[in-house]
Amino acid sequence: MAPPVQKGKLLNHSDKTSTEVNCAINENVRKLVRSLSEPGTSQKKLRQMEDTALKIIANQRRSWDPTTTDMEVKRNLDDLAERFRAEGMASLGDTIKDLAIRYLAMDENQQQFDPNRGWPMLELLFCIADRPVQKIRRNRELMEQLRLSIINSMEAAEREPHLQEQAKLEATRNTSETEVDWPALLAEDFLDPPEDDSSDSLSDWSEESDCDSTTTLTTDENIGVSRSLLEMARVYEQAVMAVVPTGSVNKSYIPTVESVIRSYDFRIMKPMVLSLNNLKGNHLRRSKLLLLAPPQSPRPFTQYWQSDNMDFFRKIHSHWWCQYVYLNALPSSAKPLDNFAVSYVMFLNYNARGLLALPVPKTITEPCLLREILFMFVRPASCCFFEFDKATRRITVRDNVSICTVTASTMKNFLLFNVVPALEDMMELRRIIDNHTLHLLGVKTTYTVEFFAYGLRDLVQPICQLLIAYEDRVNKDPAKNTLIRFTIEFRKHFSQLRLLRELAEDVILDKGPAHIRSAYLLSSLYKHTLMQEPHQKLATALLFISLKRYCIIIDGWWRRATLEDHLREFIVEFCYEEDAHIRSHVRKRNVGIEDDLQFVEIFNKLQSCPLYQLLLDHALESGETQDLLCSVNTLSEMLTSNNEIQLPSLHDELFAQLFAQLKVYCGADNTDYEDEPEPDKDYEDLTVCNRQGIRNHELFAIFTKPLMEQRLERQRERLKSNPFLLANILKRLERSTCLQLKSELPEALREILRRRQWLANEYAIRTYCKEMQVAEKMRFLRHTMLLEKYYLLVPYYNALFVRMEKNNSWALGSVLTSKLCAVLLPHYPQLAHQLHVKLISQINSNSIKVYEALDAIELDFERPVAMHQWYILTPANMQDYNSVWRLMLKVKWAVWKLENLKFLRRASPNPCAPLDLIGLTIRRLEIVRFWLIFLINKLHAHLMEAVSRQIEHRIGECKSARDLRNMHDEHLAWLKTHCMLTDEFKSFRVALDQIFHLVYVLDMEWTTCASCMRDHDALCLDFTISDDGIDDGEMQRNSLEYLALNQVAEIELTYIRCHQILADILNTLVHQNDHGFLSALEETINSSVPH
């Protein structure tokens, strides 16, 4: 017996070494981690988790000393299960308790000397568990799957021993034992036992048989069974007891022996019955070859059965084509060659002399075969010749079926190479058309793909009509319309089916975002319209039809300024601001973050497509222009004045423009359908021309509305009676020229869009210039925010500087706005009320430094919705204006402050009297002031030169709203660069802030110096007499303190250092960064560096 296990020590059952134990732990940890990890976890992540688990187990093994009792471990287990129940995961808690109970009940735990050996192991598991409830809650679905898999594995392990035992019993069972009725058999042959009183019979038993007295079977008799002698005796005894009637005396001589039979199933091994073959019989009976029928003489003719029902041969998909029905068609004559399919097989069988038995093929007439082929084009199904697999959507030809004049193998090969590819092409094209037009099987499509499918349908429909017509020809004259003629006539159409299928599979994406699927289809079709493609005209016709959806969207944008794109398939979208109802801007629709990399690659390839770029540029520019006109209520005026409402759609214009350009190749071309003569056309044109002199657009629309409605109605009727069928378009393209075309369709589209955009841009520029007066607003901003007319605002800003220095509750936006409006109203009566002062920083407003307090305010200009909406004066533009405005105010404040620092002049008439030490110190302070005035004035002159640039006269050069916006953005960028407000001038702005701070320090030093001076003498300090003429020792002490603690020397050194830094920065900007506009400022500052 194993010694008792000490508490806290793990028992080693197999006396393994430490290395073997570690290897076992590593292997089990690896299995545990891989079973608990999510599917698809990388090998690197799995190895990291294995290392972490091994470190945790190693630390616990070294530091773990179990001191918890069994009851505490059980309490912890119950608490954990209760926690799972509170978290809504009661099943997981019950599973953990069940696993713990199963572990404690294991045989290896119960057989140990210590019955509580399993509790310390549970305590160890609780110690190394890391937040089990939180981890399971985060991966609840995965943990539930693992729990179910553990339960299934345990149930399977419990069933395994029973299954193995049952399998062993089944293997040892002899089926012959269950077939023999042993009680009946033994009852028939049962022998009477000897007399009980006969003692002489004992002599017949030998001593050797005493040991085997428990059975009546000898050793030789028991050879054929699978049980021992005692067990077989028990079986026979039970059989005998079953035969003896109830209540009779048991006279059996079989002794009663207590024997344990493990099972009532036993096996009696029957001897193998051997039989000798008849060696004298026929030698073919001993041959392994199949017995063949003896050769027979050929029949003079083949018997055929002919149906009386003539409608029988007109049925194609009928029950009599099933495989178990064997039929043969009646040949045209009794000649063997007229029934070659059957005669050839019979000839081979006859010449094989019984070694071959080829089956005779089914045969039908050739018209039935053709009707079957034609029906397969319409609705594929399994029939006599063809077998259709719905799962794989493949069509195959059946074996051993033919017509009378062709063998089955030849017919199969002919159909496989000439007919089956066309059948599959037609089937695939019908599937594509039905999925994208009828929306079968829940296929999500786009309107662009749907119009492409309609184009395919228009091209496939004539082929279907030809097939139907050929069926009528077969019924009328089956002798001429044979299978060979059918394949020759439809060879060109079959090639077109193959081309359409390859084209459809190349341009259609089955999944992905709607805008990528539509754009990819148009871009792929455009590639097929290039000159090197042999099917260029076909692709051009399909591209024209597929563009119809984009043309409808562009028309809606052109006429109503709305993006009618509920499927989100257009290439642009409206981007809305987060906090407003105002539309922000029109932007290109991009790929989402959650989309696959495949769609990202496709989207990147679309950027290089000329057709995509053409549509994108027009959509971005037209979206801005049309929405601008709609926002100012001038869109209807533009359309009415130019009769755009009555013009055909963009798709109709594209059709006319395309074939107008094709006249270059072939001259004037007669269309497929001529326009019907319009009644009173001359009268209508004359009436419209007479109304052109009306300046009022509303009156013009009223006078011409009836005529325009009549003309539009006739156009609609004409298009309705003669729609744009793809076959007609393709026919006209083929008739135009036999040569390859250049990119005519994109050129025609570009021409139409250019005309429309030119008209919209003209009205947009007119709206900006006349309705919104953008030039006046830009001039007003230059005068006020760029301080070009600072002389108008001097009183306002001087008062503001004084209030900021006093910190006297100056940061009141309403007060500042009212005072600013009062100053501007006499000069700008229409725009003064649109400028407001706003407080943006409460912290900066509390600063006593004016150049810091100026950062707390900004100007806001009330601009029209159209200007704010379409990037003319956006919030970003206003931020740029405010940055220039604050910089100019800081420079103006520095100039104002330095100019207001004035000394009292000497009353003596001799200004050239020598100065003492104190006078020289004060003069140094005044020199620093002059240095700062010079530097600030040079910077001020540079800034004023930049802000004085005018752009109002350039507005007339803009051709569109986008050009106007780009010009304004370029002007602001140029202004920020010349005012040194971009990131590359950050070091210059830091040095400039030091200059402003030096002005503030100089002002304080100046004030301190002035407070210690006498009023009657500017260059002497009074040490004895106060202002009242009384001797004041305190004044003397203050004067001496100023002489000792003045900061004039430090101010001088600081200015010199700042000046040198500015000179170095400007030198680098001019000569290294190539900013030539700073050359004058750089030369001035570098030439005036003090030493």
Side-chain angles (χ1 to χ4, degrees), residues 902-933:
K902 297 180 181 180
F903 280 102
L904 296 175
R905 295 306 175 187
R906 184 186 297 271
S908 175
N910 186 11
C912 298
L915 299 175
D916 54 2
L917 181 60
I918 297 176
L920 293 175
T921 303
I922 297 174
R923 183 59 59 85
R924 291 169 59 190
L925 191 63
E926 190 174 14
I927 291 173
V928 174
R929 171 179 172 267
F930 289 141
W931 287 348
L932 286 171
I933 289 175

Side-chain angles (χ1 to χ4, degrees), residues 658-851:
L658 174 62
F659 288 102
Q661 293 179 184
L662 290 179
K663 293 180 180 178
V664 178
Y665 299 94
C666 59
D669 183 26
N670 296 325
T671 58
D672 294 332
Y673 42 87
E674 298 293 339
D675 295 339
E676 298 178 359
E678 299 181 3
D680 300 333
K681 184 176 183 301
D682 297 336
Y683 170 74
E684 293 180 3
D685 294 340
L686 180 61
T687 304
V688 173
C689 292
N690 293 334
R691 302 296 189 273
Q692 293 292 338
I694 300 177
R695 299 294 180 88
N696 193 322
H697 301 292
E698 296 181 357
L699 291 177
F700 177 81
I702 292 174
F703 284 127
T704 59
K705 184 177 180 179
L707 298 178
M708 293 301 176
E709 289 182 352
Q710 294 177 8
R711 181 178 296 180
L712 182 62
E713 186 64 26
R714 284 195 298 271
Q715 291 177 359
R716 290 175 179 173
E717 292 295 333
R718 190 183 307 113
L719 293 177
K720 185 176 180 181
S721 59
N722 300 304
F724 290 145
L725 294 178
L726 189 61
N728 297 334
I729 298 173
L730 182 59
K731 189 184 300 182
R732 293 190 61 179
L733 289 173
E734 295 288 351
R735 192 170 59 246
S736 298
T737 176
C738 59
L739 302 176
Q740 294 293 95
L741 303 173
K742 64 177 184 178
S743 300
E744 295 294 342
L745 186 59
E747 291 296 332
L749 182 61
R750 182 181 290 107
E751 179 65 21
I752 297 174
L753 297 180
R754 185 189 61 80
R755 291 199 302 261
R756 288 191 173 189
Q757 197 59 45
W758 176 83
L759 179 62
N761 290 334
E762 181 182 1
Y763 265 81
I765 294 299
R766 186 188 307 173
T767 300
Y768 272 121
C769 295
K770 294 184 178 181
E771 301 293 336
M772 293 183 291
Q773 298 180 352
V774 65
E776 296 296 330
K777 291 180 173 61
M778 290 184 178
R779 186 180 297 109
F780 173 73
L781 292 178
R782 190 179 74 252
H783 291 169
T784 56
M785 297 191 69
L786 302 184
L787 302 182
E788 185 179 357
K789 289 190 176 182
Y790 181 73
Y791 58 88
L792 299 176
L793 303 171
V794 168
Y796 174 77
Y797 286 118
N798 288 346
L800 179 63
F801 295 154
V802 172
R803 294 183 62 185
M804 286 182 176
E805 288 181 348
K806 295 180 179 180
N807 198 13
N808 187 14
S809 301
W810 65 270
L812 298 176
S814 58
V815 176
L816 295 176
T817 302
S818 61
K819 292 183 178 181
L820 180 61
C821 181
V823 174
L824 295 176
L825 190 59
H827 307 282
Y828 304 98
Q830 297 180 353
L831 301 175
H833 295 283
Q834 299 180 8
L835 200 62
H836 304 276
V837 182
K838 295 175 60 178
L839 183 67
I840 60 175
S841 176
Q842 190 67 33
I843 297 177
N844 290 336
S845 65
N846 296 327
S847 176
I848 60 176
K849 301 176 183 179
V850 177
Y851 69 92

Side-chain angles (χ1 to χ4, degrees), residues 365-371 373-374 403 405 411 414 419 470 473-475 477-490:
T365 60
E366 191 170 4
C368 290
L369 171 60
L370 286 172
R371 287 175 52 80
I373 292 174
L374 296 174
I403 60 177
T405 57
M411 178 58 66
F414 181 84
V419 179
Y470 195 84
R473 290 167 54 187
V474 170
N475 292 332
D477 192 358
K480 291 183 179 181
N481 299 284
T482 60
L483 179 62
I484 300 298
R485 186 170 183 176
F486 170 76
T487 55
I488 293 175
E489 287 188 10
F490 283 87

Side-chain angles (χ1 to χ4, degrees), residues 530-541:
L530 300 180
M531 296 186 66
Q532 65 269 17
E533 297 294 337
H535 52 277
Q536 179 199 35
K537 296 183 178 64
L538 176 62
T540 301

